């Protein structure tokens, strides 16, 4: 717990000093969302229909964008190998990394979601569904992104490879999260989709940190 | 409990076993496949609904079944490699992955070719086809990751880990795609609407399935042998093998190691 | 037989071999290290010194052979927390995060590596970093950054130190300071494994040298 707090504080200090790390993915998210209406036309009906899908695709791309830097700096500076050698603090370190990356990349998306709902012409019920699905879905995004970052840590072409590995794993999340928002725009009940998202989140939260741990040990070794 | 398996984890032993098995597996695979396809394509009656186009089933179904089978066996090898730190198991992951990817590709292409006369288009976002496509992505991820490291061993280990992660995800992906499919599509034509398949069509199909399995095993043996030689090239036993084959002036024979 | 030999030493390794990029770095290397001993691993660039250190620290697996800590093999990556807690590893990468200040780096290590809760200002002052505690480390010189990373040695309670080129970029006074710290650690029953191009034998009578031969 001491270690978790120390690593978490350290992450926040780094984020405070490198604002681009969390501001850039956020700007990317907004820009991608503005591209869609420009590309396919701004008819309100059409926009509302495709909004759930494009919001979620933009969200997972922007999380992926921020993922590569997650362990890179600590790997380059040698912090990671010292942590692996010490073994014990590594798990708390991984948890702190994932938590702080969620706070820095996904939480801002929640804050600007009302704006996004306005831009895409969604009603209040749909916005609520977006917030709930983001709340349950984005931790899963960050967990899997951390796994990708850890797996490709010492690979030659990290960035694009990370996206190739992790995007197929996002498919279930994309399906259920956009279905939840979809149902909300139609005025239907979407608690079932949220329950599935919550179940997937629980499973991932239990297993992914262990896999990240293994991947980090492997890349350092 | 599995102590009796230990000797087989030794690269040298496994190299020889694979060498012994390969000719038998390959011969059997070729025979079964020939018999299965000739029987299936030439001598079974045509389907009353689908006509002759259904005959692609003899390639499509076995390839689809064993694309999944190859992934599971790859994941089992990966699990063994990660838990018991057995090197030959992690090489086996790299040996199976491309074969599985090709099987998946065959299943996809034959599925598309079958879809054209049945559905009128080459591609339909059918649950099975979509799952198969995602399976191909997972295979490509494993292959790409194993080649992405300067250190070959690290690549093998990382791709083993990814294979295990993938196999946990595979059922989730499969069911979510199926659910998504029922949500977005009307009822697609189900290929096996008929409750049973006529025995005259079943037997050649079973033969083909067996043939694809044997081919998978044979090719895995062959690729694993190459991987073992590549990774162990500095070990004395490989050098001795290379010298022997130099003197004979040909490639290493299956029993070359035993004559020492 | 081997077991009796092992129990007297802290860390020992038998028949280690390491293959990197299809090149055999070393083959059949034996290492034994008792409490109060310093092992100096020497050899040309590319002889595999760092790889050997990483294997001894449990970071990498040897291709053959095994490493024993107090007679217990480390080879299976089970949680060998006893070993990890008795180890202070500083590789040729310093582990200093350049965007953070010396103080913030030290604070993180205190939590991560269970260092003594001593006053960090005092430690940094000992190392000649007084007045530089609150400057991001990227503003410091290479030698000063190295001093920050070595500050761990003044706070650690670990028995075994594994250090890769600890003297790089340090000036004469810092080298002297570090050697004093080494002496003190050895006298208290600790053990050190290091690689360096400095001559170690005169200052440390209890030191031994392991020469790795460069080979193709």
């Amino acid at each position: 717990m001491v270690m978790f707090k120390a690593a978490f504080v350290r992450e926040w200090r780094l984020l405070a000093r490198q604002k681009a790390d969390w501001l850039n993915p956020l700007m990317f998210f907004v820009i991608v969302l503005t591209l869609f209406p420009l590309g396919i036309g701004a008819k309100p009906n059409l926009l509302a229909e495709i909004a759930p899908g494009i919001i979620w695709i933009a969200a997972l791309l922007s999380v992926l964008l921020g993922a590569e830097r997650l362990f890179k700096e600590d790997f380059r500076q040698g912090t990671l190998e010292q942590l692996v050698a010490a073994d014990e603090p590594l798990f708390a370190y991984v948890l702190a990394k994932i938590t702080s990356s969620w706070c820095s990349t996904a939480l801002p998306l929640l804050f600007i979601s009302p704006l996004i709902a306005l831009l895409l012409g969604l009603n209040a019920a749909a916005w609520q569904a977006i917030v709930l699905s983001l709340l349950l879905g984005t931790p899963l995004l960050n967990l899997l992104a951390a796994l990708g970052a850890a797996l490709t840590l010492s690979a030659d072409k990290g960035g694009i490879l990370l996206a190739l590995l992790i995007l197929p794993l996002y498919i279930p999340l994309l399906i259920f999260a956009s279905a939840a928002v979809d149902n909300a725009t139609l005025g239907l009940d979407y608690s079932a989709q949220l329950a599935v998202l919550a179940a997937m989140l629980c499973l991932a939260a239990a297993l992914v940190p262990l896999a990240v741990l293994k991947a980090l040990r492997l890349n350092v070794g | 409990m599995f102590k009796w398996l230990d000797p087989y984890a030794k690269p040298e032993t496994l190299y020889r076993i694979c060498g012994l098995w390969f000719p038998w597996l390959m011969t059997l695979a070729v025979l079964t496949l020939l018999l299965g396809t000739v029987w299936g394509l030439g001598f079974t009656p045509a389907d009353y609904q689908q006509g002759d186009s259904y005959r692609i089933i003899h390639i499509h179904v076995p390839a689809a079944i064993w694309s999944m089978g190859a992934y599971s066996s790859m994941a089992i090898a990966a699990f063994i490699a990660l838990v018991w730190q057995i090197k030959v198991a992690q090489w086996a992951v790299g040996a199976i992955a491309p074969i599985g990817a090709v099987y998946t590709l065959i299943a996809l292409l034959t599925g598309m070719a079958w879809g054209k006369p049945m559905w009128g288009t080459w591609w339909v976002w059918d649950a099975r086809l979509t799952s198969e496509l995602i399976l191909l992505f997972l295979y490509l991820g494993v292959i790409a990751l194993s080649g992405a490291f300067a250190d070959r061993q690290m690549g093998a280990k990382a791709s083993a880990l990814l294979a295990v992660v993938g196999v946990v995800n595979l059922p989730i992906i499969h069911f979510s795609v199926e659910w998504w499919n029922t949500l977005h599509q009307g009822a697609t034509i189900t290929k096996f609407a008929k409750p049973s398949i006529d025995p005259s069509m079943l037997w050649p199909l079973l033969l083909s399935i067996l043939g694809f399995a044997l081919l998978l095993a044979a090719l895995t043996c062959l690729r694993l042998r190459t991987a073992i030689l590549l990774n162990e090239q500095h070990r004395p036993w490989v050098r001795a093998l290379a010298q022997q084959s130099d003197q004979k002036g040909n490639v290493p024979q299956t029993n070359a190691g035993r004559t020492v | 037989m081997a077991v009796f030999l092992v129990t007297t030493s802290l860390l020992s390794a038998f028949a280690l071999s390491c293959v990197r990029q299809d090149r055999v770095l070393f083959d059949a290397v034996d290492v034994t290290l008792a409490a109060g001993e310093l092992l100096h691993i020497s050899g040309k660039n590319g002889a595999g010194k760092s790889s050997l250190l990483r294997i001894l620290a449990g970071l990498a697996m040897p291709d053959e052979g095994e490493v024993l800590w107090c007679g217990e093999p480390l080879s299976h990556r089970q949680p060998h927390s006893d070993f990890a807690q008795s180890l202070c590893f500083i590789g040729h990468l310093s582990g200093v995060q350049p965007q953070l200040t010396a103080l913030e780096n030290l604070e993180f290590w205190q939590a991560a590596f269970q260092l003594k809760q001593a006053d960090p200002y005092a430690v940094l002052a000992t190392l000649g970093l007084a007045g530089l505690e609150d400057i991001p480390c990227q503003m410091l010189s290479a030698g000063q950054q190295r001093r920050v990373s070595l500050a761990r040695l003044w706070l650690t309670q670990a028995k075994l130190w594994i250090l890769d080129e600890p003297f790089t970029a340090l000036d004469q006074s810092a080298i002297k300071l570090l050697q004093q710290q080494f002496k003190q650690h050895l006298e208290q029953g600790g053990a050190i494994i290091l690689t360096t191009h400095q001559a170690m034998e005169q200052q440390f009578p209890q030191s031994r040298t392991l020469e790795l031969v460069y080979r193709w």
Side-chain angles (χ1 to χ4, degrees):
Chain A
M1 203 54 218
V2 180
M3 175 56 197
F4 179 81
K5 200 178 141 222
F8 196 70
V9 168
R10 178 171 177 268
E11 279 305 301
W12 278 101
R13 281 178 177 149
L14 285 172
L15 288 168
R17 268 159 232 188
Q18 293 177 311
K19 298 192 180 60
D21 273 354
W22 55 274
L23 274 176
N24 288 357
L26 186 64
M27 273 155 60
F28 176 82
F29 177 72
V30 176
I31 290 174
V32 167
L33 280 182
T34 42
L35 287 183
F36 274 98
L38 294 175
I40 45 183
K43 289 183 217 85
N45 293 343
L46 181 68
L47 273 187
E49 197 177 318
I50 57 163
I54 60 178
I55 288 176
W56 264 95
I57 290 174
L60 57 88
L61 288 180
S62 75
V63 168
L64 264 188
L65 194 69
E68 202 202 344
R69 58 154 278 278
L70 200 55
F71 299 108
K72 207 78 178 187
E73 191 68 2
D74 284 345
F75 178 67
R76 271 199 213 117
Q77 304 300 338
T79 314
L80 206 52
E81 64 177 15
Q82 294 180 5
L83 288 170
V84 171
D87 204 41
E88 202 188 285
L90 195 61
F91 192 63
Y93 166 82
V94 167
L95 291 184
K97 273 279 181 189
I98 294 173
T99 322
S100 65
S101 80
W102 180 75
C103 292
S104 65
T105 58
L107 218 46
L109 299 189
L110 281 174
F111 287 125
I112 62 161
S113 62
L115 189 70
I116 299 304
L118 284 179
L119 274 180
L120 297 175
L122 295 172
N123 54 20
W127 169 68
Q128 202 184 352
I130 291 177
V131 170
L132 287 175
S133 70
L134 279 175
L135 212 51
L136 285 171
T138 46
L140 196 57
L141 284 183
N142 284 101
L143 279 163
L144 289 173
L147 178 61
L151 269 177
T152 58
L153 193 56
S154 64
D156 299 333
K157 301 168 197 70
I160 189 80
L161 184 64
L162 162 65
L164 288 183
L165 301 187
I166 297 305
L167 281 176
L169 303 184
Y170 280 160
I171 289 168
L173 176 62
L174 180 65
I175 289 173
F176 283 99
S178 49
V181 185
D182 227 6
N183 275 14
T185 52
L186 299 173
L188 300 172
D189 177 48
Y190 54 88
S191 53
Q193 283 83 343
L194 289 186
V196 173
L197 284 182
M200 292 198 292
L201 176 59
C202 290
L203 185 70
L207 296 179
V208 172
L210 297 176
V212 173
L213 215 60
K214 184 94 198 169
L216 287 179
R217 286 204 183 111
L218 205 149
N219 271 277
V220 163
Chain B
M1 186 162 77
F2 294 112
K3 271 279 174 255
W4 59 274
L5 272 171
D6 274 3
Y8 298 101
K10 224 178 137 228
E12 192 181 349
T13 322
L14 195 66
Y15 174 81
R16 270 189 236 140
I17 292 172
C18 284
L20 275 179
W21 282 10
F22 173 71
W24 293 101
L25 285 172
M26 199 64 194
T27 321
L28 274 175
V30 169
L31 284 178
T32 356
L33 278 177
L34 266 179
L35 192 62
T37 32
V38 169
W39 187 359
L41 296 184
F43 296 97
T44 50
D47 187 80
Y48 76 98
Q49 274 182 333
Q50 307 188 4
D52 276 333
S53 64
Y54 94 96
R55 289 181 200 276
I56 206 165
I57 196 176
H58 296 292
I59 300 168
H60 176 75
V61 169
I65 288 176
W66 288 111
S67 65
M68 303 272 181
Y71 202 93
S72 342
S73 43
M74 185 173 82
I76 292 168
F79 188 76
I80 293 171
L82 290 176
V83 174
W84 289 286
Q85 310 268 349
I86 292 169
K87 278 189 181 164
V88 285
Q90 89 199 13
W91 299 335
V93 173
I96 300 173
I99 309 172
V102 170
Y103 271 35
T104 316
L105 200 61
I106 293 174
L108 272 175
L109 292 177
T110 51
M112 285 165 73
W114 194 2
K116 181 69 182 157
M118 289 298 103
W119 296 325
T121 52
W122 289 105
W123 184 263
V124 171
W125 288 96
D126 161 72
R128 284 173 215 237
L129 275 179
T130 314
S131 286
E132 199 71 16
L133 184 65
I134 296 167
L135 182 68
L136 181 66
F137 292 156
L138 291 178
Y139 269 122
L140 293 181
V142 171
I143 296 169
L145 190 62
S146 71
F149 291 83
D151 183 353
R152 201 188 302 130
Q153 301 302 333
M154 204 177 272
K157 280 183 207 160
S159 56
L161 186 53
L162 184 66
V164 171
V165 171
V167 90
V168 174
N169 265 280
L170 208 54
I172 302 177
I173 293 176
H174 182 76
F175 287 117
S176 50
V177 166
E178 216 149 73
W179 180 83
W180 161 83
N181 189 244
T182 53
L183 186 76
H184 285 261
Q185 302 260 245
T188 42
I189 303 160
T190 40
K191 283 173 252 173
F192 298 101
K194 288 173 291 170
S196 67
I197 180 168
D198 192 79
S200 65
M201 296 175 183
L202 184 65
W203 281 108
L205 181 60
L206 286 180
L207 263 182
S208 298
I209 292 173
L210 181 67
F212 267 77
L214 287 168
L215 188 66
L216 175 65
L219 290 177
T220 305
C221 277
L222 187 66
R223 285 185 53 85
L224 188 56
R225 251 162 78 90
T226 324
I228 291 173
L229 279 187
L230 181 67
N231 285 291
E232 296 268 295
Q233 54 185 302
H234 294 282
R235 300 272 173 236
W237 71 269
V238 181
R239 292 215 172 132
L241 208 64
Q243 262 170 10
Q244 264 181 9
S245 64
D246 257 3
Q247 284 159 9
K248 280 191 208 156
N250 56 12
V251 288
Q253 293 296 308
T254 44
N255 55 356
R258 283 189 303 175
T259 51
V260 180
Chain C
M1 263 307 283
V3 178
F4 295 112
L5 290 171
V6 166
T7 42
T8 55
S9 60
L10 216 50
L11 186 80
S12 52
F14 298 103
L16 293 182
S17 77
C18 177
V19 183
R20 281 284 175 279
Q21 293 304 301
D22 301 328
R23 191 164 77 82
V24 181
L25 286 179
F26 48 81
D27 198 13
V29 168
D30 294 330
V31 176
T32 49
L33 186 71
E37 268 191 327
L38 183 146
L39 179 67
H40 172 204
I41 296 168
S42 71
K44 287 191 180 128
N45 296 122
K49 300 189 292 287
S50 295
S51 300
L52 180 58
L53 284 192
R54 295 173 69 80
I55 288 171
L56 291 176
L59 281 172
M61 286 293 214
D63 286 271
E64 266 166 35
E66 63 178 353
V67 181
L68 304 169
W69 170 251
C70 300
E72 294 281 317
L74 297 181
S75 47
H76 292 282
R77 256 239 167 254
Q78 308 299 335
H80 41 264
S81 55
D82 177 47
F83 172 70
Q85 276 177 17
S86 322
L87 170 72
C88 176
F89 173 83
I90 301 180
H92 68 279
L93 299 165
S94 63
V96 175
Q97 174 59 245
Q99 257 111 27
L100 298 177
T101 68
L103 214 54
E104 287 165 346
N105 269 305
L106 219 53
E107 204 176 283
F108 174 66
W109 294 335
Q110 275 181 326
F113 306 121
Q114 294 165 334
L115 307 178
K116 283 179 222 153
Q117 290 301 318
D119 178 21
Y121 283 97
V123 178
L124 290 172
T126 322
L127 281 156
L129 292 166
L132 302 171
E133 297 96 343
D134 286 327
I135 298 174
C137 287
Q138 55 193 355
M139 306 292 187
L140 302 179
S141 75
Q144 285 170 327
Q145 286 193 22
R146 180 49 70 171
R147 288 181 195 214
V148 173
S149 94
L150 291 172
R152 252 179 86 186
L153 298 180
W154 269 260
L155 293 171
T156 183
Q157 293 160 318
K159 221 171 178 181
L160 173 68
W161 296 358
I162 297 187
L163 311 171
D164 198 350
E165 302 279 357
F167 299 109
T168 330
L170 292 183
D171 57 22
Q172 283 305 318
S173 66
I175 290 176
K176 214 162 260 163
L177 209 61
L178 190 56
Q179 286 177 341
Q180 271 167 14
Q181 186 66 14
F182 284 175
K183 264 190 194 132
Q184 206 189 339
H185 180 61
L186 294 175
E187 277 158 16
Q188 288 168 352
I192 302 174
I193 304 176
L194 56 77
T195 63
T196 178
H197 296 290
Q198 299 266 329
M200 300 294 294
E201 280 70 21
Q202 299 94 322
Q203 278 120 345
F204 296 98
Q206 61 282 68
S207 80
R208 282 181 300 120
T209 302
L210 175 73
E211 173 102 27
L212 287 183
V213 186
Y214 186 85
R215 48 193 280 179
W216 282 100

